[in-house]
Amino acid sequence: MGVGVIGYGYWGPNLVRNFAEQVAARVVAVSDLSVERLTQVHARYPKVKLTTDFREVLCDADVDAVIVATPVSSHFDIGMRALQAGKHVLITKPITADSEQAMQLIEAAEQRGLVLMVDHTFIYTGAVQTIKQMVESGNLGQLYYYDSTRVNLGLFQRDVNVLWDLAVHDLAIMDYVLGRRPVAVAATGAAHVPGHHVNLAYLTCYFEGSLITHHHVNWLAPLKIRRTLIGGARQMIVYDDLEPSEKVKVYDKGVTLADAQGALESMIGYRTGDMWAPQLSLTEGLRVEAQHFLECVTHRRQPLTDGPCGLRVISVLEAAARSLAGRGQPVELTDESPRATATESLGGVSESA
Amino acid sequence: MGVGVIGYGYWGPNLVRNFAEQVAARVVAVSDLSVERLTQVHARYPKVKLTTDFREVLCDADVDAVIVATPVSSHFDIGMRALQAGKHVLITKPITADSEQAMQLIEAAEQRGLVLMVDHTFIYTGAVQTIKQMVESGNLGQLYYYDSTRVNLGLFQRDVNVLWDLAVHDLAIMDYVLGRRPVAVAATGAAHVPGHHVNLAYLTCYFEGSLITHHHVNWLAPLKIRRTLIGGARQMIVYDDLEPSEKVKVYDKGVTLADAQGALESMIGYRTGDMWAPQLSLTEGLRVEAQHFLECVTHRRQPLTDGPCGLRVISVLEAAARSLAGRGQPVELTDESPRATATESLGGVSESA
Amino acid sequence: MGVGVIGYGYWGPNLVRNFAEQVAARVVAVSDLSVERLTQVHARYPKVKLTTDFREVLCDADVDAVIVATPVSSHFDIGMRALQAGKHVLITKPITADSEQAMQLIEAAEQRGLVLMVDHTFIYTGAVQTIKQMVESGNLGQLYYYDSTRVNLGLFQRDVNVLWDLAVHDLAIMDYVLGRRPVAVAATGAAHVPGHHVNLAYLTCYFEGSLITHHHVNWLAPLKIRRTLIGGARQMIVYDDLEPSEKVKVYDKGVTLADAQGALESMIGYRTGDMWAPQLSLTEGLRVEAQHFLECVTHRRQPLTDGPCGLRVISVLEAAARSLAGRGQPVELTDESPRATATESLGGVSESA
Amino acid sequence: MGVGVIGYGYWGPNLVRNFAEQVAARVVAVSDLSVERLTQVHARYPKVKLTTDFREVLCDADVDAVIVATPVSSHFDIGMRALQAGKHVLITKPITADSEQAMQLIEAAEQRGLVLMVDHTFIYTGAVQTIKQMVESGNLGQLYYYDSTRVNLGLFQRDVNVLWDLAVHDLAIMDYVLGRRPVAVAATGAAHVPGHHVNLAYLTCYFEGSLITHHHVNWLAPLKIRRTLIGGARQMIVYDDLEPSEKVKVYDKGVTLADAQGALESMIGYRTGDMWAPQLSLTEGLRVEAQHFLECVTHRRQPLTDGPCGLRVISVLEAAARSLAGRGQPVELTDESPRATATESLGGVSESA
């Protein structure tokens, strides 16, 4: 299978490397506006065709699938042209600049029977796969909360705010792990650097019942933190992506309720048990993802991180943007906002993965 | 100086111990509803008068100052009676169940020339004192944010929600360190245990300019976390209260702005420098606080954590309660707000949460 | 049961507190050379008889058992007098200043049918109890090594070097966990402060087979470290006493050996699996120990940390002292060695170091 | 300058990459016994000449300098042939299999006026450079100890034991930082895997005065630890190579001595002050090293890690091997063992670096 890559900036080299290492694929062409970057491609992959005009990649007959790794604002235009040229498409996150664009891409791919996938790379790591299995097993009991922190110093983005840059990872993981959609969103934050977007934000998602998620993102933190707490009635998970080996820890902890005789309120007790850190696959997430994309294209399967998945994340970000502008004013998420999430079959997809 | 302590539950023993160790004071009497607890007092302090009726403490002529360490709902009643009996008063946090009560205590103390102090104990630790000095020195540059996390498993409170129990610490520290009052508050959260208050909450405070603070509190976390990030334009602070010795770390980090020629937006650069952990006083905060209270009484001085300080914290908590009930709906804090929130009772707040 | 405590210095208050909290016991008398310390005893335990002459404790008819918490040099003399007075004896670590003294105490206790116990307090913690069970279960496979680090800044001891102060803890734990005696000892170290003992030392114990243990102790370290690694063929344990809750972690890790066809050497593979942190009893070790001592006295049982246990630790320390003086010259431990090391006094050891 | 690389196993790819990125050099040829590995070279560096016979590299007229990255046993033979062929030589650590071989290489290089350098890569990291400056500044006061731990699971080496594999790093750093040679060595350890070398070892080096160093290495540890403590009379350093950013921390801690009136021994006090983590250069050590090697060749300068430096490390390892065989029997290091450490000028070298 021939792969063309459009955009060789921050993330592009990782994409090219991982697809180049797949036996089932060949990186045919790479385009970028910078000749200097193309020179780097040539130094490492001397057989790859190079161009500063991405349209050459789209009309290359050797290219079966196109990977879009450009700034967000161009995702829709390039992605749509690629689909129209009959190419399968993998787009870096977030899938598009708004949900309307995402819906159009989804529709275009469906009409043509082409694979449309979004590069939510964490979904393909051993850590997130293990967490997903734990949550699905029901061992955690009723889910109470999902709380993520993703902060560090830099890199300020020019075209999007910190939610679109960092929270998109957590929203994608949350969407996958919980398998549920929020009903309302509230977000607060601040822009500290003149002429730049919001660089610090806090996002809360409300779900049916008492499940709540919260996502803290910051480009101006002195420390790098990548930590998620998932609380259930019976067990709780701590996922620390910076831990070298024990990234996922399961705590057998919680509260117990005893009916106090003659009392209206139940008495709370505390339960603490063992902690357990399961062995995780150490394969690079992007490597698993590249393989999954190629399999989906070969067998015309719906990817684990398909268009509707990218759309769901965008729709939360859009609601967050509105709430942010209103200092935390809550925004309801209606079923119509991200349409077409119907036919996805996560189970089938998981099997293939 | 004679000290009477009302309430010998979770925190009372620490108060009694620290006042008993002061040369300038003598613990004269302790009251508690539980005879069992009074027995414990007797075993350790055989000379202290014991009673199950706090009124006996209030009318004890040997008692110059009263320490109120009962549940929040009784703070106002006992505190007011103590002031009316001509005693100086130290009340555990939060000062009262609502801001109207706090204002009445402040007024009563002022009229009688008595000291009224709230037990915001962290203010008196070496860590917070050092942070205060750093912020006041201006070395951090313009303040950007203050972000605190205070989570662990338990202890669920019966009478107040997690904000009134845990965030009160962070609001007190923030009030002291920043020396500024927020203009608006937004809060989200959830109650997971039937018949109990909100146990997980996120509170954002907006200030004039772009300063923002955020406070994460949780009674249902698998880990104990006590960490605050303070971001300034030139330096940033990490305050981790669980670190055995280096609780405060200062990072010489930030962004730099360079005017790009012909560009509308400034270019961002990143600056990383040394990290520094100043030596901190290891004296127990409560010991410093006890001494400070005695000095304020002796010299009729306004304490560092006086009534208005307790009131400011309460007024933020009240605004948070209203925002919480509205899924993050922002609530403005006017200068009058502490006075204007009269009808908001702690009970009502809990119900809505 | 009446308990008398001799010595109320660094550790004495913990002993008095824990025995005072036992229902089966009553602290009858405390002796110390310092009147100031005795005043502290009185403030907390007003009913306890006080004296600066320990002989009064020994001849007190209300005293059934004596706890010796004085400097090491006086352990033998006081312990022997206590046994001769018909009292059961608990002695702080190390049991005596040399093995000859320990043997005499053991014999004296045996002859009189009295309990002689040494205060190796870590043995009674949830962490060490759990580790012991794991090692005994055989799950670790063949034992390879036991490696402990116990370093911090201070407290320099006047009468003993750092091995006698800190390594004694690790040797006691090792003796209990492994249930085996070393056959040879090698030790290196240095004395950095003029007029003071060796403050940094490294001790290696050799066992039958390939089992080896190593103990690193230091009074002059910038960090506090309390970490032990125990390596087995199938599992490995990390015991970090400074971890607030997960003090013991079990790693399902090791190497695998495959016979390479036609090769003399086997091929090594690496196996990594889950990590598991069992829930530990949080009861203070000294509390468990106090209860155990009382039970042993009541039922005339041999304590877990009996005289021979204290002697085994001493005999390793004596061999280490000789090796230390010879820059790591190995010293064999024979079965008789505890008896054969008679002329080696603690004072002489320190001098040589 | 033309560079030839012999050996493309574990470390070879890093060497090739770093020399390929130097503007002043060109990787001309690579040899390895494995055709598969040479294919990997070709994929990345299509212009490099490939061969399975290292002698072709040695007689290549385009090759000015040869990098020897083969197993230790062949270092001498290949290194000597390279020098005889008039090539400058950089050899991976340890420089040779014994000190006699190292001395012959040093002599051969001197006679021909060629550069001989050993790849002690940690010397060229920002962390070690910063530590060196601190020690040289004298701020630490009198040096007391240097204590390193370098343990993890794997990789068992076939041809050397764990000291020759891991401790060689620490001995090289210690040699550079302290600038002094030990007078005696004691080592203990064990071999746990049948048919394999010692996999766990403890090495002590004694110096003139009371300075002592200790090095703990282990191939069979459940955790990866890379930590060094350096203790001085006034300051202490903790160097943790696994810390993402604050690898070097300086503690303003120590003991103070006060002459107690009329007492023979001085009284010890403890001093604790600030902790400080200096900003470190983040440039890859091997990149700095590659540049340094090229500069030394161009200007015929003695490298920072020259032949005598490699020899000094070897001589300690040889003494350790003898001590290890005698269960810690100490081995004296005489001046004759590693000759010719005279003319090296560290200052001049540092300037160029």
Side-chain angles (χ1 to χ4, degrees), chain A residues 305-321:
Chain A
T305 52
D306 58 5
C309 170
L311 172 58
R312 289 194 301 274
V313 168
I314 296 269
S315 67
V316 173
L317 288 173
E318 286 178 335

Side-chain angles (χ1 to χ4, degrees), chain A residues 192-205:
Chain A
H192 295 112
V193 183
H196 286 267
H197 295 289
V198 161
N199 54 273
L200 163 63
Y202 305 96
L203 168 58
T204 303
C205 297

Side-chain angles (χ1 to χ4, degrees), chain A residues 246 251 272-279, chain C residues 246 251 272-279:
Chain A
E246 285 97 39
Y251 292 81
T272 61
D274 296 358
M275 183 268 272
W276 170 63
Q279 191 191 6
Chain C
E246 284 98 40
Y251 292 81
T272 63
D274 295 357
M275 182 268 271
W276 169 64
Q279 192 192 3

